């Protein structure tokens, strides 16, 4: 079995010894702890309010938060193992990378589904209550996971074809770079990702154009609501663009890895913060805080119910009805 650039394939020798964590890794731990706290608080807010659990938009939003939290935790563990030069069995690494592959594409696909939900709410308001139901939201999440599994299956099949059986009983520093040693594997991965993002770009672009057409024809409060819908779709497009930028990182990292290991670790550290950590934390945070109803309840739990000006959890009937109306509004 031959490599595209050299003769026979061979695993890099595992690093000897364990390095202590440096200040960069400790900084990442602080950032991840902060963002995980905010995301977990938003997930807790979602499950505490029935009005959120029965709304398609919030169900999809909670799905992105859960996927992002799991993605951040797993990637952080791999980052710590890489910094400390700790090896693991290849079979375990493959399972972890398969989960990461699923999570990495689940969030953009969910954002695409949220764009379609905004399209139905604004362009098909009479059918929105019929189409956008909690049951359909759950079915949509199952479809999203099925689409994610396609990429996982492609990755696993490429590994089984590329490597001998001895590869799976070896140990390595777990990384997607280590698993994609052949050029054709990278080309196959890139082709699948391009199909995904072409599909998502077309759906988000279609939703934005349709909502923009309705917004131009609207007036007054309706026009203001349409503009909020446009901004929501633009947020989804922004995160999709950031995800596309993330696709270029492995190319740069793989090229630098052949030159200098220290420079590779520095670039990987920068890419992790800018194109993995920040998009998966800041964009959901901004999206959640744009919703008035969600923000009110989020602030209540964030301050442990101590702020008197924030609507409490157990509201009287009049305030509860008001909140439900705000939840039903388009964002």
């Amino acid at each position: 079995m031959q490599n595209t650039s050299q003769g026979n394939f061979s695993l890099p020798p595992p690093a000897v010894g364990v390095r202590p964590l440096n200040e960069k890794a400790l900084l990442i731990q602080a950032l991840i702890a902060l963002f995980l706290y905010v995301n977990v608080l938003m997930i807790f807010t979602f499950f505490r309010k029935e009005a959120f659990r029965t709304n398609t938009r919030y169900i999809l939003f909670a799905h992105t938060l859960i996927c992002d939290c799991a993605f951040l935790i797993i990637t952080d563990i791999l980052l710590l193992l890489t910094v400390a030069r700790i090896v693991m069995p290849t079979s375990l690494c493959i399972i972890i990378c398969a989960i990461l592959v699923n999570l990495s594409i689940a969030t953009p696909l969910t954002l695409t589904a949220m764009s379609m939900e905004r399209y139905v709410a604004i362009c098909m308001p009479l059918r929105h209550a019929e189409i956008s139901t909690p049951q359909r939201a759950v079915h949509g999440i199952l479809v999203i996971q099925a689409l994610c599994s396609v990429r996982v299956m492609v990755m696993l099949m490429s590994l089984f074809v590329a490597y001998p059986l001895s590869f799976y009983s070896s140990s390595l520093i777990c990384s997607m770079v280590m698993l994609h040693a052949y050029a054709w594997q990278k080309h196959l991965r890139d082709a699948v990702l391009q199909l995904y993002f072409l599909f998502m770009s077309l759906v988000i672009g279609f939703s934005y154009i349709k909502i923009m057409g309705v917004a131009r024809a609207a007036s007054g409060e309706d026009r203001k609501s349409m503009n909020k819908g446009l901004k929501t779709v633009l947020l989804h497009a922004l995160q999709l663009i950031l995800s596309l930028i993330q696709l270029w990182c492995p190319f740069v990292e793989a090229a630098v890895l052949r030159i200098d290991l220290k420079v590779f670790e520095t670039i990987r550290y920068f890419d992790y913060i800018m194109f993995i950590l920040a998009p998966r934390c800041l964009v959901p945070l901004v999206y959640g805080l744009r919703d008035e109803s969600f923000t009110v309840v989020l602030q209540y739990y964030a301050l442990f119910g101590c702020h008197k000006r924030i609507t409490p959890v157990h509201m009287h009937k009049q305030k509860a009805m008001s909140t439900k109306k705000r939840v039903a509004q388009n964002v």
Side-chain angles (χ1 to χ4, degrees):
M1 190 164 297
Q2 294 182 345
N3 193 299
T4 55
S5 58
Q6 301 178 358
N8 295 327
F9 170 80
S10 62
L11 286 173
V16 179
V18 177
R19 297 190 309 175
L21 298 181
N22 53 32
E23 63 278 1
K24 293 181 180 179
L26 294 176
L27 174 61
I28 287 181
Q29 302 316 300
L31 291 175
I32 288 182
L34 174 62
F35 288 128
L36 281 178
Y37 167 74
V38 175
N39 283 2
V40 170
L41 183 61
M42 298 176 81
I43 295 173
F44 178 78
T45 301
F46 165 79
F47 282 105
R48 289 291 294 177
K49 296 298 295 181
E50 183 180 0
F52 299 146
R53 298 196 305 269
T54 57
N55 187 290
T56 300
R57 179 160 51 95
Y58 293 112
I59 294 174
L60 295 175
F61 179 54
H63 183 251
T64 64
L65 292 174
I66 294 173
C67 290
D68 288 344
C69 286
F71 184 87
L72 289 175
I73 292 173
I74 297 175
T75 54
D76 183 47
I77 294 174
L78 291 184
L79 178 65
L80 293 176
L81 295 178
T82 301
V83 172
R85 302 283 181 85
I86 299 176
V87 299
M88 70 169 60
T90 301
S91 56
L92 177 60
C93 177
I94 292 175
I95 295 174
I96 293 176
C97 289
I99 296 174
L100 285 179
V101 165
N102 179 288
L103 295 174
S104 65
I105 202 67
T107 294
L109 284 174
T110 307
L111 292 174
T112 304
M114 294 171 71
S115 297
M116 288 299 297
E117 193 275 336
R118 289 296 85 199
Y119 160 74
V120 173
I122 294 175
C123 300
M124 307 170 62
L126 297 180
R127 298 193 59 191
H128 181 251
E130 174 188 353
I131 297 176
S132 183
T133 63
Q135 292 76 15
R136 290 182 184 270
V138 174
H139 294 162
I141 291 175
L142 294 177
V143 172
I144 289 171
Q145 290 300 322
L147 292 175
C148 295
S149 66
V150 174
R151 187 187 170 196
V152 175
M153 294 302 298
V154 171
M155 185 201 78
L156 294 178
M157 290 174 62
S158 70
L159 291 176
F160 293 148
V161 171
Y163 300 119
L165 293 178
S166 59
F167 172 77
Y168 305 102
S169 59
S170 61
S171 298
L172 46 69
I173 298 177
C174 189
S175 170
M176 292 297 295
V177 176
M178 296 298 182
L179 297 181
H180 290 154
Y182 294 92
W184 67 265
Q185 287 180 291
K186 300 173 186 177
H187 297 328
L188 179 62
R189 175 199 63 189
D190 297 339
V192 173
L193 286 174
Q194 293 303 324
L195 289 176
Y196 273 111
F197 283 100
L198 176 62
F199 165 74
M200 290 185 285
S201 299
L202 289 176
V203 172
I204 292 179
F206 170 81
S207 302
Y208 181 81
I209 292 173
K210 288 294 185 179
I211 294 175
M212 184 172 60
V214 175
R216 288 182 175 179
S219 60
E221 290 296 326
D222 290 337
R223 187 178 184 87
K224 184 178 180 180
S225 178
M226 304 301 175
N227 290 333
K228 288 184 178 180
L230 287 175
K231 292 179 181 178
T232 299
V233 177
L234 281 177
L235 274 177
H236 300 337
L238 173 62
Q239 187 161 7
L240 186 60
I241 292 174
L242 292 174
S243 300
L244 285 172
I245 296 176
Q246 180 184 336
L247 294 179
W248 301 336
C249 295
F251 294 103
V252 178
E253 293 173 0
V256 175
L257 181 61
R258 301 188 185 97
I259 302 173
D260 191 299
L261 181 61
K262 292 184 178 180
V263 178
F264 164 76
E265 291 177 352
T266 301
I267 293 179
R268 196 177 188 190
Y269 171 79
F270 175 81
D271 291 341
Y272 181 78
I273 292 180
M274 293 300 298
F275 304 121
I276 296 179
L277 182 61
R280 292 183 176 274
C281 296
L282 296 180
V283 174
L285 180 61
V286 171
Y287 181 85
L289 293 181
R290 289 180 66 247
D291 187 282
E292 181 183 354
S293 300
F294 196 88
T295 302
V296 167
V297 185
L298 179 65
Q299 288 177 339
Y300 175 79
Y301 287 118
L303 298 176
F304 306 101
C306 298
H307 202 300
K308 296 182 179 179
R309 294 184 179 181
I310 297 177
T311 307
V313 180
H314 302 288
M315 297 176 296
H316 56 74
K317 186 174 181 180
Q318 182 178 359
K319 291 185 178 180
M321 293 299 295
S322 177
T323 300
K324 290 182 179 181
K325 290 181 180 179
R326 289 199 302 268
V327 170
Q329 289 178 350
N330 297 328
V331 176

